[in-house]
Amino acid sequence: HMLTLASIRSDLTTALKSGDVVRLGTLRMLVSAIHNVAISKYGAASEEKLTESDILDTIKKQAKTHWESIEAYQQANRQELVDKETAELVVLESYLPNEISDEELKALLTPVVASGETNFGLLMKQAMAAVKGQADGGRVSELLKQILK
C-alpha cells in the first residue's frame, strides 16, 4: 500500500487512542519532519505534491539519526537512552520496505556494471535508480566496488 502523510497521521491517532507513548512520540516527530521537507521542497502546495519517495527519504534520514544516537549512547553507557532510541527506531523501520539480499542486489547491479560506464559517480547514480530504494547507498556502493574488482 502507498505510504502517505495521511496514513502516518492515521497511525498517530491510533497510537494516541491506544496510549502507545513511544509510537506516538516517534510519529509526531516524523510527521513534523515530513511536513518540514514538504514545505522546503514544494512551498505552499507542499502536501499535495509530497511523494511516497519524499516520505521514505525522510524516514530513512530519521532512522539513520537514531542509529547514530544509539552508537553514541552505547559508547557513553547510557542504556536507558539506547533503549528509547531503539524503540523509536523499530517504529520508523516498520514503515520502510525490507532491504533486499546481497544476491538480489548483485542481480540488479550486474547489468549496470555491464553498461561499460567507468565513472563511479555515474555508475552509482544508475545503480541507485535500478535499486529503487530497496537498499541503502552504502550497501550499493560496497557491492558495486566488489563487482568492479
Side-chain angles (χ1 to χ4, degrees), residues 41-98:
K41 207 166 170 182
Y42 303 112
S46 57
E47 301 221 354
E48 299 84 63
K49 289 186 179 163
L50 195 65
T51 65
E52 186 177 31
S53 159
D54 292 330
I55 294 172
L56 285 171
D57 287 347
T58 307
I59 297 172
K60 284 177 187 161
K61 281 185 184 126
Q62 290 222 319
K64 185 175 187 237
T65 304
H66 277 68
W67 274 113
E68 289 163 355
S69 300
I70 289 167
E71 284 175 14
Y73 292 144
Q74 280 171 337
Q75 288 166 358
N77 288 325
R78 298 291 305 274
Q79 192 55 46
E80 75 285 2
L81 294 173
V82 170
D83 295 344
K84 176 182 178 288
E85 291 282 334
T86 304
E88 292 172 356
L89 182 61
V90 168
V91 173
L92 291 171
E93 287 185 336
S94 70
Y95 288 95
L96 294 174
N98 293 331

Side-chain angles (χ1 to χ4, degrees), residues 86-135:
T86 304
E88 292 172 356
L89 182 61
V90 168
V91 173
L92 291 171
E93 287 185 336
S94 70
Y95 288 95
L96 294 174
N98 293 331
E99 294 225 335
I100 55 177
S101 70
D102 282 357
E103 288 70 41
E104 292 170 296
L105 190 51
K106 274 188 181 140
L108 289 174
L109 296 180
T110 304
V112 174
V113 174
S115 73
E117 178 59 63
T118 53
N119 176 317
F120 191 77
L122 291 175
L123 261 181
M124 192 63 197
K125 190 174 178 180
Q126 290 170 15
M128 290 309 286
V131 172
K132 295 186 187 80
Q134 298 174 89

